[in-house]
Amino acid sequence: MKPASLVPMAHVRSVERSIAFYLLLGLEEGNRHTPEGQAEPVWVWLRSGGAHLMLAAATELVEPDKQAVLFYVYCDDVAAFREQLIRAGIEAGPIRSPFYAPRGEFRVVDPDGYVLMVTHT
């Protein structure tokens, strides 16, 4: 047997705020869970094509300086996607071209300090 897929789940301060951020990146909400009597969801599953991400409400303080994971986001046109994010109000770093990303990559930081590296397919 082999795994069918691998889906990261990140803990965030506000699931609702994070949903809004990731929708701007082009992900769609697949499912969410809001416990009875609570106003905000505690879990969400987001998706876009083969990209999947789960977010869950943190039970402890999320410390941006201690995030030890990078999320790689793949797209067809790095420069165009960067411009799209900037127009949506998301701060996107400069495009750099390291040896493993000759058509470029750039950095975006989500509301909880998770780093997303956007690069080409």
Side-chain angles (χ1 to χ4, degrees), residues 7 28-33 43-47 51-55:
V7 180
E28 299 173 350
E29 189 175 319
N31 200 354
R32 72 165 61 199
H33 175 69
W43 175 88
V44 67
W45 164 52
L46 302 166
R47 67 174 188 257
H52 298 268
L53 176 64
M54 292 186 294
L55 303 172

Short mmCIF file of all heavy atoms in Angstrom, two decimals, residues 7 28-33 43-47 51-55:
data_model
loop_
_atom_site.label_atom_id
_atom_site.label_comp_id
_atom_site.label_asym_id
_atom_site.label_seq_id
_atom_site.Cartn_x
_atom_site.Cartn_y
_atom_site.Cartn_z
N VAL A 7 -1.69 15.75 2.75
CA VAL A 7 -2.31 17.06 2.90
C VAL A 7 -1.82 17.69 4.20
O VAL A 7 -2.07 17.16 5.28
CB VAL A 7 -3.85 16.96 2.90
CG1 VAL A 7 -4.48 18.33 3.06
CG2 VAL A 7 -4.35 16.26 1.64
N GLU A 28 -10.22 27.19 -3.01
CA GLU A 28 -11.66 27.18 -2.75
C GLU A 28 -11.92 26.39 -1.49
O GLU A 28 -11.19 25.45 -1.16
CB GLU A 28 -12.40 26.52 -3.91
CG GLU A 28 -12.22 27.21 -5.24
CD GLU A 28 -12.83 26.42 -6.39
OE1 GLU A 28 -13.22 25.25 -6.19
OE2 GLU A 28 -12.89 26.98 -7.49
N GLU A 29 -12.98 26.77 -0.81
CA GLU A 29 -13.35 26.05 0.41
C GLU A 29 -14.02 24.75 0.03
O GLU A 29 -14.98 24.72 -0.73
CB GLU A 29 -14.29 26.92 1.24
CG GLU A 29 -14.55 26.36 2.60
CD GLU A 29 -15.40 27.28 3.45
OE1 GLU A 29 -15.18 28.51 3.41
OE2 GLU A 29 -16.27 26.76 4.16
N GLY A 30 -13.51 23.63 0.58
CA GLY A 30 -14.10 22.33 0.33
C GLY A 30 -15.07 21.94 1.43
O GLY A 30 -16.15 21.43 1.17
N ASN A 31 -14.69 22.23 2.67
CA ASN A 31 -15.52 21.87 3.81
C ASN A 31 -15.03 22.65 5.01
O ASN A 31 -13.87 23.06 5.06
CB ASN A 31 -15.43 20.37 4.08
CG ASN A 31 -16.58 19.84 4.88
OD1 ASN A 31 -17.43 20.60 5.34
ND2 ASN A 31 -16.61 18.54 5.07
N ARG A 32 -15.92 22.85 5.98
CA ARG A 32 -15.53 23.53 7.21
C ARG A 32 -16.33 22.93 8.36
O ARG A 32 -17.37 22.33 8.15
CB ARG A 32 -15.74 25.03 7.15
CG ARG A 32 -17.20 25.45 7.19
CD ARG A 32 -17.46 26.91 7.47
NE ARG A 32 -16.90 27.82 6.50
CZ ARG A 32 -16.69 29.11 6.74
NH1 ARG A 32 -17.01 29.63 7.89
NH2 ARG A 32 -16.18 29.89 5.81
N HIS A 33 -15.81 23.12 9.56
CA HIS A 33 -16.53 22.68 10.76
C HIS A 33 -16.58 23.83 11.75
O HIS A 33 -15.55 24.38 12.14
CB HIS A 33 -15.84 21.47 11.42
CG HIS A 33 -16.49 21.08 12.70
ND1 HIS A 33 -17.75 20.51 12.75
CD2 HIS A 33 -16.08 21.20 13.98
CE1 HIS A 33 -18.07 20.30 14.01
NE2 HIS A 33 -17.07 20.70 14.77
N TRP A 43 -12.03 24.46 11.86
CA TRP A 43 -11.32 23.65 10.87
C TRP A 43 -11.88 23.95 9.49
O TRP A 43 -13.06 24.22 9.32
CB TRP A 43 -11.51 22.17 11.19
CG TRP A 43 -10.93 21.23 10.18
CD1 TRP A 43 -9.64 20.76 10.15
CD2 TRP A 43 -11.58 20.66 9.05
NE1 TRP A 43 -9.46 19.92 9.06
CE2 TRP A 43 -10.65 19.85 8.37
CE3 TRP A 43 -12.87 20.76 8.54
CZ2 TRP A 43 -10.96 19.15 7.23
CZ3 TRP A 43 -13.18 20.06 7.37
CH2 TRP A 43 -12.22 19.26 6.74
N VAL A 44 -11.01 23.91 8.48
CA VAL A 44 -11.43 24.06 7.10
C VAL A 44 -10.50 23.25 6.20
O VAL A 44 -9.32 23.06 6.52
CB VAL A 44 -11.45 25.55 6.66
CG1 VAL A 44 -10.03 26.12 6.62
CG2 VAL A 44 -12.15 25.73 5.31
N TRP A 45 -11.06 22.75 5.12
CA TRP A 45 -10.28 22.08 4.07
C TRP A 45 -10.40 22.97 2.83
O TRP A 45 -11.49 23.34 2.41
CB TRP A 45 -10.83 20.69 3.80
CG TRP A 45 -10.35 20.08 2.51
CD1 TRP A 45 -9.06 19.94 2.10
CD2 TRP A 45 -11.17 19.55 1.47
NE1 TRP A 45 -9.02 19.34 0.86
CE2 TRP A 45 -10.32 19.08 0.45
CE3 TRP A 45 -12.54 19.40 1.30
CZ2 TRP A 45 -10.77 18.50 -0.72
CZ3 TRP A 45 -13.00 18.82 0.14
CH2 TRP A 45 -12.12 18.37 -0.86
N LEU A 46 -9.25 23.35 2.28
CA LEU A 46 -9.19 24.20 1.09
C LEU A 46 -8.57 23.42 -0.05
O LEU A 46 -7.73 22.54 0.18
CB LEU A 46 -8.36 25.46 1.38
CG LEU A 46 -8.85 26.31 2.55
CD1 LEU A 46 -7.78 27.32 2.95
CD2 LEU A 46 -10.15 27.00 2.19
N ARG A 47 -8.94 23.76 -1.28
CA ARG A 47 -8.40 23.01 -2.43
C ARG A 47 -8.38 23.87 -3.67
O ARG A 47 -9.12 24.85 -3.80
CB ARG A 47 -9.23 21.77 -2.68
CG ARG A 47 -10.64 22.12 -3.16
CD ARG A 47 -11.43 20.89 -3.56
NE ARG A 47 -12.67 21.29 -4.17
CZ ARG A 47 -13.85 21.26 -3.58
NH1 ARG A 47 -13.96 20.82 -2.35
NH2 ARG A 47 -14.93 21.63 -4.23
N ALA A 51 -3.96 20.86 -5.32
CA ALA A 51 -3.48 21.49 -4.08
C ALA A 51 -4.54 21.36 -2.99
O ALA A 51 -5.71 21.67 -3.23
CB ALA A 51 -3.16 22.96 -4.32
N HIS A 52 -4.12 20.91 -1.82
CA HIS A 52 -5.03 20.76 -0.69
C HIS A 52 -4.34 21.28 0.56
O HIS A 52 -3.14 21.10 0.75
CB HIS A 52 -5.38 19.28 -0.46
CG HIS A 52 -6.09 18.67 -1.62
ND1 HIS A 52 -7.46 18.63 -1.70
CD2 HIS A 52 -5.63 18.08 -2.74
CE1 HIS A 52 -7.81 18.03 -2.83
NE2 HIS A 52 -6.71 17.69 -3.47
N LEU A 53 -5.11 21.92 1.43
CA LEU A 53 -4.60 22.44 2.69
C LEU A 53 -5.71 22.42 3.71
O LEU A 53 -6.83 22.82 3.42
CB LEU A 53 -4.10 23.88 2.50
CG LEU A 53 -3.61 24.62 3.75
CD1 LEU A 53 -2.38 23.95 4.35
CD2 LEU A 53 -3.34 26.08 3.42
N MET A 54 -5.40 21.91 4.89
CA MET A 54 -6.33 21.98 6.01
C MET A 54 -5.79 22.99 7.01
O MET A 54 -4.58 23.08 7.22
CB MET A 54 -6.49 20.62 6.68
CG MET A 54 -7.18 19.59 5.82
SD MET A 54 -7.52 18.04 6.70
CE MET A 54 -5.87 17.44 7.01
N LEU A 55 -6.69 23.75 7.61
CA LEU A 55 -6.34 24.72 8.63
C LEU A 55 -7.19 24.42 9.86
O LEU A 55 -8.39 24.14 9.74
CB LEU A 55 -6.62 26.14 8.16
CG LEU A 55 -5.92 26.57 6.87
CD1 LEU A 55 -6.44 27.91 6.41
CD2 LEU A 55 -4.42 26.60 7.08
#
